[in-house]
Amino acid sequence: MERYDVLIAGAGVTGGMIARELSRYNLSVCLLEKENDVACGATKANSGIIHGGHDPVPGTLKARLNAIGNPMLFEACRQLNVPHRRNESMVCAFGPDEEPAVDRLYQRGLENGIEGLEVITGDMARQLEPALSTQITKALLIKNSGIVCPYSLTIAAVGNAMDNGVTLKRNFEINKIEKTDGLFTVCSANGETVQGEYLINCAGCAADKIAAMAGDGFYTINPRAGEYMLMDKSEGGRVSRTIFQTPGKEGKGILVTPTVHGNLLTGPTAQAVDSGDSTFTSAQQLEKIQRLAAKSVPGVNFRQVITSFSGVRSSVDGGDFIIRMSDKVEKFAHVAAIDSPGLTCCVSIAVYVVDMLAQAGLKLTEKENWNGTREDPLAFSKMDMDQKNKVIAENPAYGKIVCRCETITEGEIMESLTRQPVALDLDGVKRRTRSGMGRCQGGFCSPYIMKLIAQHTGTDMTAVTKNGGSSYIAVHKL
Amino acid sequence: MIKHDIVIVGGGPAGMAAAVAAYDRGVTDVVIIDREDTPGGILRQCIHNGFGLHKLGQELTGPEYATVYAVKVAERGIKVYTGTTVLSVTQDRIVTATGREGIVQIQAGAVVLTMGCRERSRGALNTPGTRPAGVFSAGTAQKLINIDGYMPGKKAVILGSGDIGLIMARRMTLEGAKVEAVCEIMPYSGGLTRNIVQCLEDYDIPLYLGTTVVEIHGKKRLEGVTIAQVDENRREIPDTRRYIECDTLLLSVGLVPENELTIAAGISMDRVTGGAIVDENCHTEISGIFARGNVLHVHDLVDYVSDEAERAGCGAADYVKNGVQAGEYIPVKAVGGVRYVIPQHINRNATGEISLFMRVAQPSGKARITARQGETILATATKLKTAPGEMEKLIIRPGLLGTGEITVEIEQL
Ligand SMILES: Cc1cc2nc3c(=O)[nH]c(=O)nc-3n(C[C@H](O)[C@H](O)[C@H](O)COP(=O)(O)OP(=O)(O)OC[C@H]3O[C@@H](n4cnc5c(N)ncnc54)[C@H](O)[C@@H]3O)c2cc1C
């Protein structure tokens, strides 16, 4: 049986970043993920905001990890070549009733030790962002906040961890955990087993189930879905900053933000759902997004929507992250209830967890040859014409455009199939290359990409899936 | 930088017809650029018949029709860059393209844009529900079946009764799938009557008008859809929901001219057609850049595409030989029941016949479509019935053109 020093349950941004952090040391680490790819949980579908840190209640773990995590994440994005931008954000008040909320958030930000906060008038806000509603009377400007592509970040973190020796097992849905002689034996739904001395639970919405399996299920995750609408790039320039509303009776409010890829994102809503898999959208919520987004930025053209989607928060009563060693099960670490601002905190959580494991007895000796950087997967697209022609001369596949909406070449698709963590399905290729993310949403390129996947893996087109499991695309050969 | 007199962007039926026409007009240095490995565009996957009746006087399949033009192109020795995607076109007509041989830049004397159109996607419909595999645009499914040789599913619902949806209902049935229903949100079908008869009625496939898909179900692969009736404002009528089990949903919900290059080049666009604003020679507002075919406005018959594209080819050839034609432009306006007219303006000094193409906004019975300039009737035609799905055409005879705005309108008879 395979045996590791550390097992990590869940390859979202939390598990992925912890894996990368652990890969610095002489340890054997294995990341266990139930899906066919990394970043398929909350990490796939969220706002992608690197929060400034003004929002969490002072004194909480969230407040602390956000404050230190913000600059740490910017640094990691640079090392890992992940698309990100410090685009600043604003929390807007609509009229005198909401204005005190802006002042409260400002005070809270100061208490949390956040720099670069400024309270501005509605007119100043509109000077910075001319598309803002005339109803906005006051705003909090947050200069240290930014945007990042959350799944690119996780793919890069896991890829970098793998380059430094970490193992990733996919389609490994943990359904049993035993502990004997100081060793965890972890079994998957399809009968695989691995052993490890330490087990870190980063299973997102399923963290309560994993904790219960390990014998310390003291919390319940209350999954809360958030729906979004993503607009074509033609809407991407509507605003430059992320525009929040003050928290009100309809939750934290709907934001309007550019994405690092140049689209415009609106959402999220907030409603209780059954599980982390409840990622459906509903007419009612999509209607609400349009109404509330238009409140901040009246000009948003919702006819330019290219897709809608939903992500599920792994919230708990009390609201703070649960990050601690188990009181009951030795060497079992809870990293649970990582809802917003979990993405922002991924690096600070990882460092915090590794410290915690060290205190619990994990021996950390640094690798001599650890390399924390990862080559830019978008390198080709950033080249000038002469450089591109050199690459094409060596590998003509880089001359062939496969995805016309996003201008992605066959060479880049092949890269996504060969570079760790390799893409195994259409969605995996899409997240790594952006092929199929444009306005035609894969209508033209998906058959061609299916063919490339089939050729590369030596299977038939009928074995190619959208996202693993039974998500096959072609049912039989004619 | 390479130089060519005319560069044609897109080697579908429009591009090939334009190339041949330009060549025959005396400009022989014409090249076609196409991203696929074989020219022919979307026709290559349209293996059903019904092409060429008007233009070639015989009923051909899509690939056969494309071959007729590919042969004409080859006979003239017109170079086709295949597997080559145009990345940009500038206002001074520098065309940048990439292919397996590398990135090339061409200085063109004139450019003809014939990039065709693409299908609207599920995302654009914003249909609520889950996001499983098994939801395809009808054209993607058609490509999977006809080009790649794979069935996309066994039990299908088709949303949209445009021609591609109808053709695919028949195609899926012929290949052994069960088509449960074709749903159309409008109270009438957007497809040609002959397709409704030959593709649905002949196979007992139900067509539900005023009905749409309101929810998509299934985790990994599609498991079913909920359909519901809608009112005249396309809003769901309560208590009309119905679940249909299926593993495939084909979307045939409209075509969008693929004008990313056109827009990036800064060419003025018509918001109704989604294509460029052109004159009677398909000349856009940028000197030396022409546009025709489905990139200009979506057609129902390829025959008209070829016909019109010949104009663009001739226009480009004349431009290369003589430069811009002098003269002021007369605007052409769609009014009263006409959705749009192409061209959007006409050169006052235009000679020869001028064809106007238009679509009506609503289906109607007997009606007359008339083009007027002030009091003068430039052209008129009486139709037994009209429908948004069928393009209409008027021809202005030589010598009739005066001054002032031209209006095109429809009157019920
Ligand atoms: C709507 C929404 C908006 C958000 N916006 C922001 C934001 O703007 N900024 C920000 O900082 N944060 C934001 N967040 C929070 C952020 O997305 C999360 O904190 C972060 O993605 C959590 O990552 P994770 O790895 O902990 O969880 P997940 O990404 O959910 O990962 C858990 C993983 O565990 C796997 N797993 C589950 N069960 C098992 C099992 N039995 N066996 C094996 N594997 C299993 C899952 O498949 C999944 O891959 C948002 C969250 C949501 C939902």
Side-chain angles (χ1 to χ4, degrees), chain A residues 168-187:
Chain A
L168 167 68
K169 287 190 188 296
R170 313 186 204 198
N171 299 303
F172 194 110
E173 179 169 8
I174 299 171
N175 73 349
K176 202 165 100 196
I177 299 170
E178 281 172 355
K179 191 161 187 204
T180 40
D181 303 330
L183 214 55
F184 291 98
T185 303
V186 178
C187 309

Side-chain angles (χ1 to χ4, degrees), chain B residues 273-286:
Chain B
T273 59
I277 291 173
V278 292
D279 71 7
E280 72 287 356
N281 289 325
C282 323
H283 204 169
T284 69
E285 293 190 340
I286 301 296

Side-chain angles (χ1 to χ4, degrees), chain A residues 10 12-14 33 42-43 46-47 49 174 228 313 338 341-344:
Chain A
V13 72
T14 308
E33 171 54 54
T43 298
N46 59 63
S47 310
I49 310 301
I174 299 171
Y228 291 94
R313 309 167 178 90
I338 310 299
L343 173 66
T344 311

